[in-house]
Structure formats: structure tokens, C-alpha cells
Amino acid sequence: MAARIHALLPAAGQSLRFGGTIIKQYASLHGEPVMAHSIAALQQHPAIVAITVAISADDGLYEELIRPGFPQLQTVHGGDCRARTVLNGLHWILQHDPDSDWVLVHDSARPCLPKDALDRLINQAESSGIGAILALPVSDTLKQANPQGRIAKTVERQLLWAAQTPQLFPLQELMASLTAALQFGPAPTDEAQAMERSGHPVQLVIGSADNIKITRPEDLAIAEAILLRQKGLRPPGRVDL
């Protein structure tokens, strides 16, 4: 594939599981908003030529917290679900950056993306010409529940993977797949699901346990420890013996 990749961060969600008074992508993490770390991880990669952020139409924090640090980034308004938010972003990219034939979608609340994982994803898609996502093989024993909240059965995990982002696909294929998914079925929960429904192959590329998604307030402490380790710093109060 041509190594011209436009990154898209869907950031129009309201983070209902996070709680508190601030949307999770704007929560403070190691002195910066969570989203700022997610953007920086992509901005440092030479294959990513541009980044667009899809935000809510009533977002009152992006201009205050993100724009000063990343003045060159473009924004577009998202939709009422992730799939429509990403689709809005794809239409914007196609109109304003038509030379970008691949799009890399990354959660705005995944601030600890390691460069080697991003390298693996881009290299695999580039060498094969097939879309790919970061993911990890499931290691826990999985239980399926019944409606009463009891175990119905144990699920075989040998072929199960936990999806992460980034997810990297040809722009036109992803746009067509998301459009069809929204027209003919329930909204897909990630971009790979839309591609699957359209019959496109999707590669699984080993991700990283560091690449956590901020979902609950306690995740911030975990993410900070990861960032400190990635930067070669010691957490406050740590004493080496």
C-alpha cells in the first residue's frame, strides 16, 4: 500500500461508564488530557501524515484543552454512535485529504499506545495490502452468563482475541462497509466488525498490554504508571533498594 495514512480519533462519546464530571478523554493524565497522549503517540509516527479528531457538536473542552497543544489538527463533528462518528470523519478526510487512501482509527482514550505495536500494525498492513487491527489473545477463562446472572457455560478461548485500536483499513472500503452496516443492521461496535460484515478479510496483529483503554477512573492510575515506565521515569515515592 502507499504509505500515506490519515489517522482519525473518534472522540464524540459522553463516557457514561467513566462517571465524574469530565469526559474521560479530557481527564488529566500525567499533567495532560488523556486525548493529548493518544494524539502524541500517533503524531510521532512518520507514516501518519495527518490526524483528524471527531468531536461532539457541543464539545466545550477541545478548543481549551487540546487545540493549544495541537493547533494543526482538524476537527469534524461526530454522530450519535461510534460508527456514525467514524463515518463523518471518513467523509471529511475524503473531501479534504483525498490522497490518503488508508485511515487509521484510534480510540481517543487509549493514551499508552507503544510505538512498536503501531509499527507492527502498519508494517503488516503495508506488506499485505489487507486491513488489520491490534488485538491480544484472550488469556482469562471466559464464562457465558444466563439471564439470572449465573454461569451458563465456559467458553473456549483458544481462538478468541480482545480487540484494541488502532484499526487500519483502506479508506474507501471502510467507508462503504460502515455505510452498509448502518443501513442494514445494528451499528457495529468497531470498524473491524463493519469490514467483517462486508466480507473483507481483517488481520489480527499482536497488540500490547500497555495499550489500555481508559474506561473507569481507576484506569488513570494504571495508565500513569505505564506512561512513566515507557518514559523511563520512576513513579513518585518509589525507592529502589
Side-chain angles (χ1 to χ4, degrees):
M1 77 175 181
R4 182 175 176 83
I5 301 170
H6 196 125
L8 173 65
L9 275 77
Q14 297 303 306
S15 308
L16 296 179
R17 286 178 293 174
F18 188 72
T21 59
I22 191 167
I23 301 172
K24 64 184 179 182
Q25 58 261 33
Y26 296 120
S28 180
L29 173 62
H30 196 50
E32 298 286 346
V34 167
M35 193 197 306
H37 295 283
S38 304
I39 293 170
L42 301 181
Q43 194 175 52
Q44 295 166 7
H45 200 285
I48 297 174
V49 298
I51 301 174
T52 295
V53 183
I55 60 176
S56 172
D58 60 357
D59 188 315
L61 293 174
Y62 183 90
E63 293 298 323
E64 175 188 350
L65 298 179
I66 303 298
R67 180 73 70 190
F70 304 95
Q72 76 280 19
L73 301 193
Q74 299 297 320
T75 59
V76 62
H77 287 163
D80 60 356
C81 65
R82 179 190 176 95
R84 289 191 176 88
T85 293
V86 171
L87 191 56
N88 287 357
L90 297 180
H91 281 292
W92 193 99
I93 293 170
L94 188 62
Q95 180 180 357
H96 294 86
D97 189 14
D99 291 334
S100 291
D101 49 0
W102 285 71
V103 63
L104 182 142
V105 183
H106 185 49
D107 294 330
S108 62
R110 285 191 190 269
C112 305
L113 173 64
K115 184 180 181 300
D116 60 347
L118 183 55
D119 284 340
R120 285 195 297 273
L121 178 70
I122 292 175
N123 290 341
Q124 181 61 35
E126 182 174 15
S127 63
S128 66
I130 298 173
I133 72 170
L134 290 182
L136 287 176
V138 171
S139 58
D140 294 326
T141 297
L142 297 179
K143 305 294 184 180
Q144 181 175 318
N146 64 18
Q148 292 73 42
R150 298 173 182 173
I151 294 174
K153 65 178 181 179
T154 298
V155 179
E156 293 296 328
R157 69 187 182 199
Q158 281 79 0
L159 298 178
L160 297 181
W161 292 60
Q164 300 181 338
T165 69
Q167 303 194 356
L168 178 60
F169 299 106
L171 192 157
Q172 295 279 10
E173 289 182 4
L174 181 57
M175 181 180 295
S177 296
L178 281 171
T179 300
L182 289 168
Q183 288 178 344
F184 302 113
T189 56
D190 69 353
E191 295 67 52
Q193 188 178 26
M195 296 290 283
E196 295 162 37
R197 289 186 193 173
S198 295
H200 293 291
V202 179
Q203 301 175 99
L204 292 164
V205 177
I206 290 288
S208 170
D210 281 3
N211 190 24
I212 68 168
K213 185 176 182 180
I214 303 298
T215 304
R216 297 174 177 84
E218 54 265 32
D219 294 334
L220 291 169
I222 299 171
E224 178 147 8
I226 292 170
L227 288 175
L228 287 170
R229 175 170 51 75
Q230 289 177 344
K231 296 175 185 295
L233 302 174
R234 288 181 293 182
R238 172 178 164 180
V239 176
D240 289 332
L241 300 177

